[in-house]
Amino acid sequence: MARVVRFHSHGGPEVLRIEDMEVPPPDPGEVRIRVRALGLNRAETSMRSGSYIERPTLPSGLGLEAAGIVEAVGAGVEVFALGDAVSVIPPRSMARWPAYGELVNFPAKLVVKHPPSLSFEAAAATWMQYLTAYGALIDIAGLDRGEPVVITAASSSVGLAAIQIANIIGAVPIAVTRTSAKKMALLGAGAAYVVTSQEEDLEARLREIAPHGVRVVLDPVGGPIFTPLTAAMARGGILIEYGGLSPEPTPFPLFDVLAKTLTLRGYLVHEITGDPARLEAAKAFILDGLASGALKPVIARTFPFEEIAEAHRFLEAGEQFGKIVVTV
């Protein structure tokens, strides 16, 4: 028996239950992991509340990121051995492969031996943020040295990962945050500039920083911010949207899109994780960055497994700087 987190109805953090369940042996091609730490993501709060792109059959588990020790391997798995320290790449379905538990089975192709220098907490805070940022900035946008890049929700784990990746390749990360409360922390985290969207004229400030316009914008917010963002973009620019945090409607900036031939592109990390060649390239980039220290997960706060509901409340409050981790 092992403790797992499940929910029997959609709702707030209070619907999360810790239950004892029998975890089956790993199927062929799977790895069984004794979990030491979990990384939390907005997708999990969305699935719990019933607003996620995946609608599971209830009761359901959830969770996309975990790190721990290999405890068993299924038939055909030769890459991993008992006792290996590993972390998991987010699966396409967290209902099929939920990470919130003391014991979890994951496809071996989504399991990675992480650098020995990486703690379990940092390893659990790695793959969603860095794969998302790498896929958007490097794989899709082809961000280049010296280019400015606008990163909204910059104090989120993906935002901070994007700042670090931009710095690795010599781009110029422009962090956008709501107020000046996190300005110094963002500068300390590597942002070249910080723009406060509720305290400054966003379009004017971006035009001041990048007079020729910004080619690449990374945004998980949507809503009214689309108008000033696209107004400050360069001809032929690309805005990559990977979320929808704003509760307000998102306008379509027709005339800027036409005049500047802009690309507004939806993006999910599954584009990278579902393509073996692109995933291997991303893993190599990220593992190199972790090993060198150029990529370093920022952990906002850790919670014990028993406080998983409180961890979700903290995540939904939106005041964290970096990743929320749960230790098991």
Side-chain angles (χ1 to χ4, degrees):
M1 300 290 283
R3 294 185 302 166
V4 301
V5 175
R6 297 203 302 169
F7 59 104
H8 293 249
S9 61
H10 293 295
E14 70 279 356
V15 303
L16 297 177
R17 300 183 189 177
I18 297 177
E19 302 175 344
D20 291 319
M21 291 189 64
E22 191 70 40
V23 178
D27 287 337
E30 289 187 342
V31 174
R32 186 184 214 181
I33 301 167
R34 173 69 63 176
V35 175
R36 297 289 187 83
L38 306 168
L40 268 57
N41 297 278
R42 285 278 185 179
E44 291 139 35
T45 65
S46 296
M47 187 160 129
R48 185 210 70 221
S49 64
S51 58
Y52 190 49
I53 54 176
E54 180 178 13
R55 297 283 291 188
T57 300
L58 300 179
S60 175
L62 75 168
L64 289 165
E65 292 185 280
I69 300 291
V70 173
E71 188 171 273
V73 297
V77 176
E78 299 178 352
V79 178
F80 300 101
L82 305 189
D84 282 346
V86 298
S87 44
V88 300
I89 288 169
R92 179 171 290 274
S93 169
M94 64 175 123
R96 171 63 182 86
W97 290 290
Y100 286 10
E102 294 176 321
L103 281 177
V104 297
N105 293 322
F106 264 77
K109 64 184 180 181
L110 296 180
V111 177
V112 183
K113 294 180 188 177
H114 54 252
S117 59
L118 211 61
S119 68
F120 287 112
E121 291 82 2
T126 290
W127 292 107
M128 178 62 88
Q129 61 174 331
Y130 288 122
L131 283 170
T132 300
Y134 171 93
L137 299 185
I138 308 300
D139 184 276
I140 294 172
L143 185 67
D144 204 358
R145 176 174 294 276
E147 277 197 302
V149 52
V150 172
I151 301 163
T152 68
S155 62
S156 68
S157 59
V158 173
L160 293 170
I163 289 171
Q164 293 178 11
I165 287 174
N167 282 322
I168 283 179
I169 65 170
V172 182
I174 303 169
V176 176
T177 187
R178 288 173 296 174
T179 71
S180 56
K182 298 175 182 177
K183 181 174 182 177
M184 295 310 297
L186 285 166
L187 291 170
Y193 302 92
V194 177
V195 182
T196 55
S197 61
Q198 292 181 1
E199 299 173 357
E200 301 178 85
D201 182 317
L202 179 58
E203 177 189 345
R205 183 71 178 114
L206 291 177
R207 288 183 179 276
E208 178 184 332
I209 295 168
H212 300 294
V214 177
R215 185 180 70 84
V216 180
V217 175
L218 181 63
D219 177 61
V221 181
I225 200 172
F226 257 43
T227 301
L229 286 176
T230 52
M233 290 177 69
R235 183 175 178 83
I238 180 170
L239 187 156
I240 300 175
E241 188 67 24
Y242 68 98
L245 296 177
S246 175
E248 300 179 65
T250 300
F252 183 74
L254 176 63
F255 293 108
D256 276 320
V257 170
L258 288 173
K260 301 178 185 179
T261 61
L262 300 179
T263 298
L264 307 183
R265 191 192 193 287
Y267 163 64
L268 294 174
V269 73
H270 302 149
E271 292 184 49
I272 305 301
T273 59
D275 184 320
R278 295 166 78 187
L279 178 58
E280 286 306 311
K283 285 165 59 178
F285 181 97
I286 293 165
L287 289 170
D288 284 348
L290 291 170
S292 71
L295 297 180
K296 187 175 182 180
V298 177
I299 297 175
R301 185 174 168 184
T302 60
F303 290 82
F305 188 70
E306 295 76 15
E307 295 180 11
I308 186 66
E310 187 57 36
H312 270 232
R313 291 188 185 96
F314 185 71
L315 175 60
E316 289 182 306
E319 299 303 320
Q320 75 275 12
F321 189 87
K323 192 82 165 183
I324 299 168
V325 172
V326 171
T327 54
V328 182

